[in-house]
Amino acid sequence: MTEAVAAWGATAPDAALAPMPIERRELRADDVAIHILYCGVCHSDLHTARNDWGRTRYPVVPGHEIVGRVNAIGSAVDGFAIGDAVAVGCLVDACLECPNCAEHQEQYCPGSVGTYNGRDRHDGSQTQGGYSKRVIVRDKFVLRVPDALDLSRAAPLLCAGITTWSPLRHWGVGPGKRVAVAGLGGLGHMGVKFAAALGAEVTMITTSPSKADDARSLGASHVLIATDKEAMKAATGRFDFILDTIPVAHEYQNYLRLLKASGHLVIVGAVDQMPGFHSGLLLGGRKSVAGSAIGGIKETQEMLDFCAEHGILPETETIAMADVNTAYERMEKSDVKYRFVIDMATL
Ligand code: NAP
Ligand code: ZN
């Protein structure tokens, strides 16, 4: 039997989020049912609710930064028990057979299934996300939340955390590297914390001068104001690695100029048509532009364990479910410090 579950979702690009009960499937043998305690609010939730990427199927319940407790397990589930503190990020399934899955990069599996607006691999139904009381997820896509992490703050690690952790690790950010993070929002603030914890010298590039002090307390040694042309010019050739979290199309030529020879600009924000750039900006210094999407399940667990070991948690503002539309409006104005987390007890 399916189960009716309270949730909030959107029915059209211009509709505010509103109560929208959904049906959760009957438990399969390898499923874990999770009572959701907290869900982070990612800018991708907003892009999806508003159909910014042109591929939203309505009605949609966003939310892919989920923390909760196990409240039922399927007959074949091994290793999870009722009451365990668990989490779910942006992925709820993948083929687990292709070359990307074999390398624990399930996010690049052609058959991967998003936590919301995805298609279930068994029955083709649409997946619905974490702005809800309960979610049912294949066991291999359920993460463990280490005891040391405060459940009320951990949720943003499941997307903002892993999306910044994965590229920092892949491109070997650590001691001796000069790293810049562009955009101080949900992703950016985790990027700064992780790059600093990994031992790099970190610069925050922001359009909001008022965030400079916060950037320093998060771990940045320097702050660059993106609109200050002189300061940007003075930073030419400074960085080994730039993590670009800006959520809209933008002139990233300006950031390419900031790279040293052999440096990398990695775009994690804005799934959008980007303006072109002069190829000389790449050739004259063997620079590269790359992209990165979330991270695999294994590395997500490693990131959670690293956070527990190093005392790293997101900076969050807890909100009630009914405040989510105001939270979206504030996120659009870059007015978030630095991730909204919905307390699901308010749903
Ligand atoms: P967010 O919390 O809204 O933060 C974005 C930050 O970017 C803002 O706080 C602002 O920082 C800066 N910004 C906003 N508009 C800007 C503009 N016009 N020009 C320059 N900077 C601007 O968003 P988020 O949740 O971190 O997400 C960021 C992007 O990453 C979104 O597009 C989201 O969809 C995407 N995303 C990608 C992945 C992935 O797998 N690759 C995963 C999650 C999210 P300042 O005030 O410091 O300038
Ligand atoms: Zn996200």
Side-chain angles (χ1 to χ4, degrees):
M1 277 253 294
T2 60
E3 187 196 2
V5 171
W8 273 52
T11 51
D14 54 356
L17 268 66
M20 200 180 83
I22 50 170
E23 289 291 320
R24 291 296 189 193
R25 66 173 180 254
E26 199 170 343
L27 274 197
R28 297 175 185 143
D30 60 351
D31 272 342
V32 175
I34 299 163
H35 173 71
I36 301 176
L37 295 172
Y38 299 98
C39 186
V41 177
C42 177
H43 208 111
S44 300
D45 300 352
L46 189 158
H47 287 309
T48 303
R50 304 262 166 92
N51 199 22
D52 287 348
W53 298 329
R55 54 179 194 228
T56 304
R57 288 185 299 263
Y58 296 95
V60 67
V61 173
H64 58 202
E65 294 182 338
I66 299 169
V67 164
R69 289 197 182 272
V70 174
N71 71 353
I73 52 171
S75 56
V77 172
D78 196 15
F80 288 104
I82 291 172
D84 284 358
V86 291
V88 178
C90 306
L91 290 176
V92 288
D93 208 352
C95 80
L96 302 188
E97 287 169 358
C98 71
N100 293 328
C101 284
E103 289 181 8
H104 303 286
Q105 300 290 303
E106 299 87 3
Q107 73 277 31
Y108 302 126
C109 168
S112 66
V113 181
T115 302
Y116 56 78
N117 202 41
R119 284 253 178 254
D120 183 79
R121 289 177 62 82
H122 299 272
D123 61 19
S125 62
Q126 178 162 336
T127 57
Q128 299 289 10
Y131 297 3
S132 62
K133 279 286 195 193
R134 188 169 142 106
V135 67
I136 294 176
V137 179
R138 184 179 178 186
D139 54 358
K140 293 197 167 53
F141 292 79
V142 178
L143 287 307
R144 287 164 197 292
V145 183
D147 288 344
L149 294 183
D150 176 350
L151 296 186
S152 71
R153 285 177 63 189
L157 296 174
L158 278 301
C159 176
I162 186 58
T163 303
T164 50
W165 172 262
S166 180
L168 292 172
R169 299 291 288 159
H170 179 77
W171 275 277
V173 163
K177 300 284 183 193
R178 280 188 173 164
V179 171
V181 178
L184 184 42
L187 268 57
H189 95 287
M190 288 312 305
V192 171
K193 285 194 181 210
F194 284 146
L198 290 166
E201 182 191 301
V202 188
T203 297
M204 183 75 234
I205 307 179
T206 178
T207 61
S208 308
S210 62
K211 293 180 183 172
D213 287 346
D214 285 355
R216 288 193 182 88
S217 63
L218 293 167
S221 313
H222 313 278
V223 177
L224 251 181
I225 306 303
T227 47
D228 180 342
K229 289 201 171 96
E230 285 307 308
M232 289 290 274
K233 200 169 168 198
T236 300
R238 185 180 292 171
F239 303 109
D240 298 283
F241 182 90
I242 301 176
L243 188 66
D244 179 350
T245 77
I246 297 169
V248 291
H250 55 281
E251 294 287 348
Y252 61 99
Q253 299 219 43
N254 301 337
Y255 300 94
L256 275 176
R257 290 194 180 90
L258 305 184
L259 288 175
K260 307 182 168 162
S262 304
H264 306 285
L265 171 70
V266 176
I267 296 172
V268 290
V271 182
D272 210 341
Q273 190 68 39
M274 288 288 221
F277 59 90
H278 194 285
S279 57
L281 278 172
L282 294 186
L283 314 186
R286 195 173 52 190
K287 298 174 184 177
S288 65
V289 181
S292 184
I294 47 173
I297 297 300
K298 185 167 175 270
E299 64 182 335
T300 304
Q301 190 64 59
E302 285 163 6
M303 178 270 311
L304 290 171
D305 296 345
F306 181 90
C307 289
E309 199 179 315
H310 294 263
I312 296 174
L313 276 169
E315 302 303 316
T316 57
E317 182 176 337
T318 307
I319 59 167
M321 187 71 252
D323 295 333
V324 70
N325 291 301
T326 313
Y328 277 20
E329 281 163 25
R330 282 183 53 194
M331 189 154 61
E332 280 190 307
K333 288 188 272 185
S334 301
D335 175 24
V336 188
K337 290 186 172 175
Y338 280 91
R339 195 61 135 190
F340 293 115
V341 172
I342 304 165
D343 179 351
M344 283 303 156
T346 63
L347 172 60

